[in-house]
């Protein structure tokens, strides 16, 4: 049994605990979404029903609208179609793959789950989140003004 010094104990106590289940659920969700993207055909994704609650309620696209189609297009190598469906898929799909890999490695090595929130709190993570929301607002305004269709 290892004995920790007073400063090591204080360091462990001062760090917030990393919760295991939210990160694992996120990893499972990302794995499921990646499997769906690979198994759906682009035709199925294009002709499927609208499932976005925001779009169903308002008729306007949210920042994530088109993400499912974009992931399907990316999984099938249709980069142009993915960019037109939702360009942020080029960020979110690799992030999903990374999250799945981090969770699997943590489970296999019996290590603590990674702190995914740390990446979101990073300045680059904040820039991406703000950019994604701004993209959604611009797209909604374009739809409202008749310059784009849903």
């Amino acid at each position: 049994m290892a004995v920790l010094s007073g400063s090591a104990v204080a360091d462990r106590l001062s760090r917030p605990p990393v919760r295991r289940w939210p990160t694992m659920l996120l990893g499972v969700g990302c794995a499921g979404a990646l499997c769906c993207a690979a198994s759906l055909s682009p035709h199925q994704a294009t002709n499927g029903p609208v499932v976005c609650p925001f779009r169903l309620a308002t008729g306007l696209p949210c920042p994530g609208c088109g993400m499912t189609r974009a992931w399907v297009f990316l999984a099938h190598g249709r980069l142009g179609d993915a960019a037109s469906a939702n360009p942020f898929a080029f960020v979110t799909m690799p992030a999903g793959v990374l999250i799945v890999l981090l969770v699997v490695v943590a489970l296999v090595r019996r290590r603590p789950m990674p702190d995914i929130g740390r990446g979101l709190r990073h300045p680059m993570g904040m820039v991406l989140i703000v950019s994604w929301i701004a993209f959604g607002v611009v797209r909604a305004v374009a739809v409202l003004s008749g310059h784009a269709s849903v």
Side-chain angles (χ1 to χ4, degrees):
M1 184 167 140
V3 177
L4 297 174
S5 68
S7 63
V9 170
D11 183 48
R12 281 193 180 181
L13 292 175
S14 67
R15 282 186 269 158
V18 177
R19 293 189 188 114
R20 182 179 178 96
W21 290 109
T23 304
M24 284 181 61
L25 288 175
L26 181 62
V28 168
C30 287
L34 290 164
C35 288
C36 286
S39 64
L40 286 174
S41 74
H43 176 73
Q44 288 172 311
T46 305
N47 296 320
V50 174
V51 294
C52 174
F54 183 83
R55 183 170 163 200
L56 288 171
T58 66
L60 297 172
C62 74
C65 276
M67 194 64 72
T68 302
R69 284 176 287 142
W71 277 38
V72 170
F73 291 141
L74 275 179
H76 292 276
R78 295 174 54 177
L79 304 181
D81 290 333
S84 65
N86 193 319
F88 279 88
F90 291 98
V91 175
T92 59
M93 191 172 194
V97 170
L98 179 64
I99 289 168
V100 170
L101 291 174
L102 289 172
V103 167
V104 167
V105 167
L107 288 172
V108 168
R109 292 188 175 177
R110 296 179 185 224
R111 302 275 187 220
M113 285 292 129
D115 183 7
I116 304 298
R118 197 172 102 199
L120 294 174
R121 290 185 302 269
H122 187 275
M124 184 54 83
M126 295 297 227
V127 166
L128 285 170
I129 291 169
V130 169
S131 301
W132 193 10
I133 292 169
F135 162 76
V137 169
V138 168
R139 186 166 61 169
V141 168
V143 169
L144 279 173
S145 66
H147 290 88
S149 62
V150 184

